[in-house]
Amino acid sequence: MIIVGVAATLDWSPSPSPSRDTTESSPYEPEEKPSPLEYVGKEVCSTCHSKQDQLWRGSHHDLAMQEATETSVLGDFNNTIFTHFGVSSRFFKRENKFFVQTDGPDGVLTDYEISYAFGVTPLQQYLIEFPGGRYQALGIAWDTRSQEEGGQRWFHLYPDEKIAHDDELHWTGPNQNWNYMCSECHSTNLRKNYDLAANHYKTTWTDMNVACEACHGPGSRHVAWAQEKQQEEQISQPNQKGLEVQFPLFNDKAWQFTAQGNTAKRTGQIGAHTEIESCARCHSRRANITDVFEHGKPLLDTHLVSLLEQGLYHDDGQIQDEVYVYGSFLQSKMYQAGVTCGDCHEPHGLKLRETGNALCTRCHRSEHFDTQTHHFHQAGSTGAQCVECHMPSKTYMVVDPRRDHSIRVPRPDLSVKLDTPNACNQCHEKQTTQWAADYVREWYGFRKQGTLHYGEVLKAGRAGESKADLALMKLAEETVNSGIVRASALFLLRGYPSHKMVEALKAGMKDKDPLVRIGAVRALNAIDPQHRYELGAHLLNDPIRAVRTEAGRQLASVTQSTLTSSQQKDLNQAVDEYIQSQLANADRPSSHLNLGILYAERGKFQKAEEAYHTSLRLDAAFYPALVNLADLYRLQKRDKEGEPLLRQALASAPNDASVHHALGLLLIRTGQKSEAMPALKRAWELQPDSPRYGYVYGVALNSFGKREKAIAILEDVSHRHPNDHQILFTLSTLYRDQGNRKVALQYAKRLMSLSPQDPAVQQLFQQLQGTGEQ
């Protein structure tokens, strides 16, 4: 077996410190360093912490991953057949081992031995060993729910799709690889140990499952502390108890009601978010930015958390894709009030501290909230449950409902405006969102006019609506809003380049919340590189790694010769840290794609080409690497080599707009203009919301003498993106050249309102007014 556990025994003890000669002291003698941190394993912990161990045993953390045995495997392996889109898989046993016969990476039915059971309820997956130290998660899972609940059956995780062996979602592919996708959060002290040159894993762990040290950190110093205490010796680290991270003990008196209030307040100051960020390491949508997790450090020192991005969250911030709680909870009033995970969840057994509404009424007076005058549903009914209205669930992986932890008030009126889901219609599926909005208005009255929900602002910003930038700036400026909301607003400002936008980014990059600083620095890509440096250089030395790496990435293309040696050093250190953050996921083709883009921007074409080829070595069908390699060849005037790459990419991704767009541009450069037009048109058809694709297609039409059609396309794009500088400028000049100065001036005025200091805009505006040079 390639994956090995580090054996932990009950008589484990840390290595003794080297002895010191105390007969003669020296003022220059260094202080004795603490013993190195080591993981000891859950069995050592349980000798003293038996109560916590008993709570933990049988929990989801305990059963996160198990060797495949008669006890751990819950699926039916009694020669059972499951058919999905014509592929019949057979589950059976042989010599007390578990097997599945299913389609492999070549599409051929093959017998595979089950190595591990993964998870326990409401579904269980199975891991299969492949060459190169890889473990792949089978795409067919066992529904562990009862038969009455529809369980006790095999089902496919993509029930409505045919996932052929060459599909990127096939169970044998990189996207179903345990070593990268799953391992960190299902085992303790996980070391991926990926060898890029050999394309091989030697993954190790201390405990196969999520055990004590996954949250508390390596326990060797704590064991030494306990031994010192037991022997009544002088105790080192008496306050920390030898632990890297200390979690506050649960206090059921931490939340107290005031005489007049219906919602309890936390007593004492709100402490650090250590506990929440410890949980968020796994319960968040994030990417690793370092090889080794360091307990007790801020989450953003080891992981980069996703913002409220389209496709991950609905426009109003509700969960859409699998985002794993943290990003939702950050939006909640509970988080801002100081609620922690442990206030509701017992951290060892993982059960809720109370059942039903009793959990909520510990902090929300039952006589005020758990009444029909508040929820307007029959007592004891589903609609009378707090979570059904304030934490609606969404089902993932076919059978796994997960609740939205933004803990919000139901807003069917937002569903009417934004086409977002709401708790009311989740139960009343046959009714319209307007029906639900009318009832909420009847029960609770009208909402204050003129107050926009942040979802309305974010959606307007994504759509490029006129004056949405002002609302985004206001949203980002107001510190009463959640940090993840403010960061998302700042990031969207990249679509509204202006002096005001620059001022908003300046403020955001000085914010005390590192997530806000990240959102601001990401938006710098809308500004020319040299000006970027003036704005964001201070973040190259930010105390938080994720901020530094994002700053390094955004400032990487700054011309080195314009910087002092000290400035160059700071920039190169941050860029190197960004490179290391990508190499932390060196097994992913996308990481090498990112490195290739970085090197190309820095003019290091040889390194860029090597990075793209590495990406393709890991996945020959990874078409973004083909597209970017072709673009690198463009920069080197090697289009003849680039065209076959784009044709290959088109075969892999016939419905990807970026591939058609890149091919169309290449064909124009190589003089194949008639062939280019269908490609450019197809790119715009596939992604009509892209201002870039619409702009290029419109300009190409105009170059072929089809001005009217070009104007129609560009006006359609302008309607979708009313503040796009390039579109407005082009429309103004096209109408001017057509002789329609009135309309041309209208577009020029809009440009002036957006970019009054732009010399080109000033010249165009003056020319159209008749006061400039003709």
Side-chain angles (χ1 to χ4, degrees):
M1 186 67 64
I2 293 172
I3 299 183
V4 295
V6 177
T9 58
L10 291 177
D11 61 351
W12 184 95
S13 61
S15 302
S17 302
S19 60
R20 297 176 60 189
D21 182 1
T22 58
T23 59
E24 187 175 340
S25 62
S26 166
Y28 303 106
E29 186 175 8
E31 292 184 7
E32 185 176 6
K33 293 182 179 180
S35 57
L37 282 168
E38 296 179 21
Y39 285 80
V40 301
K42 63 179 181 292
E43 297 303 329
V44 172
C45 303
S46 66
T47 58
C48 292
H49 302 285
S50 57
K51 179 181 178 181
Q52 289 80 4
D53 179 65
Q54 288 302 313
L55 287 169
W56 171 81
R57 291 192 182 276
S59 70
H60 280 238
H61 281 175
D62 178 20
L63 305 178
M65 182 171 167
Q66 307 170 80
E67 289 186 355
T69 66
E70 289 286 349
T71 303
S72 66
V73 173
L74 303 178
D76 183 358
F77 280 80
N78 294 312
N79 209 32
T80 305
I81 304 293
F82 174 78
T83 301
H84 180 72
F85 280 91
V87 177
S88 293
S89 302
R90 183 168 65 95
F91 296 85
F92 62 98
K93 298 177 187 177
R94 182 194 300 158
E95 297 177 352
N96 295 322
K97 295 180 178 180
F98 299 85
F99 289 84
V100 59
Q101 183 184 77
T102 193
D103 58 328
D106 54 3
V108 176
L109 291 177
T110 306
D111 291 354
Y112 294 100
E113 182 183 349
I114 304 298
S115 298
Y116 297 98
F118 207 58
V120 61
T121 184
L123 70 153
Q124 187 175 69
Q125 291 182 266
Y126 299 97
L127 301 181
I128 293 170
E129 184 177 8
F130 273 72
R134 285 169 169 73
Y135 282 82
Q136 299 294 132
L138 189 65
I140 305 168
W142 179 254
D143 185 342
T144 62
R145 299 174 303 165
S146 67
Q147 285 185 336
E148 292 73 22
E149 296 173 295
Q152 299 301 297
R153 64 187 176 100
W154 292 106
F155 69 97
H156 201 285
L157 291 168
Y158 300 96
D160 301 321
E161 301 177 60
K162 179 180 180 180
I163 308 296
H165 68 93
D166 55 354
D167 192 296
E168 65 179 355
L169 295 177
H170 192 261
W171 73 275
T172 59
N175 289 327
Q176 309 299 337
N177 171 250
W178 166 84
N179 309 72
Y180 168 76
M181 297 293 293
C182 322
S183 61
E184 180 191 7
C185 292
H186 281 256
S187 299
T188 302
N189 187 26
L190 197 289
R191 295 289 184 267
K192 188 165 56 174
N193 295 331
Y194 175 71
D195 184 332
L196 176 61
N199 192 19
H200 192 286
Y201 295 95
K202 291 184 179 178
T203 305
T204 62
W205 57 58
T206 302
D207 287 305
M208 182 188 301
N209 47 20
V210 183
C212 315
E213 293 164 295
C215 301
H216 294 281
S220 58
R221 290 180 190 166
H222 178 62
V223 172
W225 171 88
Q227 291 173 339
E228 289 174 358
K229 183 178 180 183
Q230 187 176 25
Q231 296 168 13
E232 297 184 353
E233 296 179 4
Q234 183 177 356
I235 298 173
S236 59
Q237 293 185 299
N239 297 322
Q240 284 292 105
K241 300 181 180 180
L243 293 168
E244 282 299 284
V245 55
Q246 282 272 65
F247 299 119
L249 294 174
F250 174 69
N251 177 8
D252 60 3
K253 305 296 184 185
W255 293 88
Q256 296 289 327
F257 289 104
T258 61
Q260 294 80 25
N262 290 313
T263 299
K265 305 289 185 183
R266 179 178 281 282
T267 57
Q269 292 185 337
I270 299 172
H273 297 299
T274 305
E275 176 190 317
I276 295 173
E277 292 197 356
S278 178
C279 299
R281 172 194 176 188
C282 289
H283 296 275
S284 66
R285 187 67 172 255
R286 79 290 181 273
N288 292 32
I289 55 174
T290 182
D291 283 326
V292 180
F293 179 74
E294 298 177 76
H295 290 82
K297 287 203 170 186
L299 176 66
L300 291 173
D301 251 354
T302 55
H303 295 79
L304 181 61
V305 176
S306 297
L307 301 182
L308 301 183
E309 298 167 22
Q310 199 165 23
L312 298 184
Y313 296 86
H314 288 288
D315 285 321
D316 62 352
Q318 290 187 77
I319 57 175
Q320 183 175 359
D321 202 12
E322 292 186 85
V323 289
Y324 310 107
V325 176
Y326 180 64
S328 303
F329 190 54
L330 288 181
Q331 301 173 58
S332 71
K333 291 182 178 180
M334 308 299 170
Y335 174 80
Q336 296 191 37
V339 174
T340 69
C341 310
D343 283 323
C344 299
H345 303 268
E346 195 285 314
H348 298 100
L350 309 182
K351 294 180 179 179
L352 292 173
R353 294 196 181 274
E354 299 285 352
T355 58
N357 288 354
L359 180 67
C360 304
T361 55
R362 292 185 312 147
C363 291
H364 303 278
R365 287 194 192 275
S366 58
E367 57 268 32
H368 181 79
F369 292 103
D370 195 9
T371 64
Q372 198 164 348
T373 56
H374 174 72
H375 53 63
F376 293 93
H377 288 76
Q378 184 177 349
S381 68
T382 300
Q385 298 301 304
C386 306
V387 293
E388 294 300 327
C389 292
H390 299 290
M391 298 182 69
S393 64
K394 180 173 180 180
T395 299
Y396 299 95
M397 303 183 80
V398 184
V399 298
D400 188 8
R402 303 175 198 168
R403 294 201 177 275
D404 190 318
H405 278 62
S406 55
I407 316 176
R408 59 184 65 215
V409 172
R411 290 291 302 272
D413 60 310
L414 284 181
S415 300
V416 175
K417 295 178 182 178
L418 307 179
D419 194 27
T420 50
N422 70 81
C424 306
N425 291 109
Q426 185 164 307
C427 287
H428 301 278
E429 296 176 325
K430 295 182 179 180
Q431 303 295 339
T432 66
T433 53
Q434 186 61 59
W435 171 89
D438 291 341
Y439 261 106
V440 170
R441 186 181 300 111
E442 177 185 332
W443 291 339
Y444 303 106
F446 286 91
R447 293 193 171 274
K448 184 179 178 181
Q449 296 298 310
T451 302
L452 291 177
H453 185 275
Y454 61 80
E456 297 176 82
V457 178
L458 296 179
K459 182 166 186 176
R462 292 185 183 116
E465 291 183 12
S466 178
K467 297 184 179 179
D469 55 334
L470 300 178
L472 288 169
M473 291 174 199
K474 187 172 185 289
L475 187 63
E477 181 183 81
E478 296 176 341
T479 55
V480 294
N481 295 316
S482 162
I484 196 170
V485 170
R486 297 171 60 218
S488 301
L490 286 167
F491 180 53
L492 287 174
L493 280 175
R494 75 195 189 283
Y496 297 87
S498 67
H499 177 71
K500 289 183 179 179
M501 171 259 213
V502 169
E503 293 304 311
L505 296 188
K506 278 184 182 179
M509 286 186 283
K510 294 178 181 177
D511 197 89
K512 66 179 182 179
D513 188 331
L515 207 55
V516 174
R517 300 199 296 276
I518 287 172
V521 76
R522 280 184 178 177
L524 286 179
N525 63 5
I527 301 172
D528 69 272
Q530 293 307 124
H531 194 197
R532 283 183 216 172
Y533 186 84
E534 298 170 19
L535 297 171
H538 65 285
L539 295 182
L540 297 172
N541 294 301
D542 195 273
I544 300 297
R545 179 185 276 122
V547 179
R548 295 194 302 271
T549 58
E550 288 295 299
R553 176 65 193 91
Q554 293 302 327
L555 304 181
S557 56
V558 171
T559 304
Q560 295 270 312
S561 61
T562 63
L563 307 178
T564 66
S565 58
S566 175
Q567 290 172 333
Q568 289 180 27
K569 181 181 178 182
D570 288 345
L571 176 58
N572 289 331
Q573 283 180 342
V575 170
D576 287 344
E577 201 164 18
Y578 172 79
I579 292 170
Q580 292 307 312
S581 76
Q582 295 301 311
L583 292 178
N585 299 306
D587 47 344
R588 302 299 290 178
S590 56
S591 294
H592 300 282
L593 170 70
N594 292 338
L595 291 176
I597 295 170
L598 172 79
Y599 290 134
E601 286 184 6
R602 305 200 93 194
K604 299 181 178 181
F605 292 165
Q606 182 60 41
K607 281 194 169 185
E609 186 169 356
E610 290 171 0
Y612 292 141
H613 280 299
T614 299
S615 182
L616 292 168
R617 173 168 66 85
L618 297 179
D619 185 355
F622 187 58
Y623 67 87
L626 292 168
V627 172
N628 281 275
L629 180 56
D631 192 60
L632 179 66
Y633 288 160
R634 172 188 66 82
L635 295 173
Q636 299 174 295
K637 302 188 184 304
R638 297 164 62 186
D639 272 333
K640 186 177 289 187
E641 297 173 66
E643 184 174 346
L645 296 176
L646 293 177
R647 301 284 184 190
Q648 182 183 343
L650 200 60
S652 296
N655 293 317
D656 189 278
S658 67
V659 180
H660 288 276
H661 181 71
L663 180 60
L665 292 177
L666 181 145
L667 293 172
I668 286 178
R669 292 194 302 271
T670 56
Q672 304 173 70
K673 293 185 178 180
S674 59
E675 291 186 50
M677 292 305 294
L680 296 176
K681 180 182 180 182
R682 185 60 179 150
W684 176 68
E685 289 173 342
L686 287 168
Q687 202 168 325
D689 282 334
S690 167
R692 172 67 178 167
Y693 299 156
Y695 167 76
V696 171
Y697 180 46
V699 170
L701 284 169
N702 186 60
S703 69
F704 272 79
K706 299 179 179 180
R707 182 179 294 163
E708 294 295 332
K709 192 170 183 180
I711 288 176
I713 296 295
L714 293 171
E715 285 190 328
D716 177 79
V717 177
S718 182
H719 178 72
R720 298 169 188 267
H721 303 275
N723 290 330
D724 190 285
H725 184 285
Q726 200 171 38
I727 299 294
L728 292 173
F729 196 95
T730 304
L731 280 168
S732 184
T733 57
L734 287 179
Y735 275 113
R736 178 200 64 189
D737 296 344
Q738 192 185 51
N740 193 338
R741 293 172 63 86
K742 180 180 179 181
V743 177
L745 186 59
Q746 290 174 357
Y747 281 110
K749 285 180 178 179
R750 286 169 60 183
L751 274 169
M752 281 294 291
S753 68
L754 292 170
S755 307
Q757 305 302 319
D758 189 319
V761 172
Q762 291 175 349
Q763 184 180 12
L764 176 64
F765 182 69
Q766 292 169 0
Q767 187 183 76
L768 289 169
Q769 279 193 317
T771 58
E773 295 182 9
Q774 300 298 315

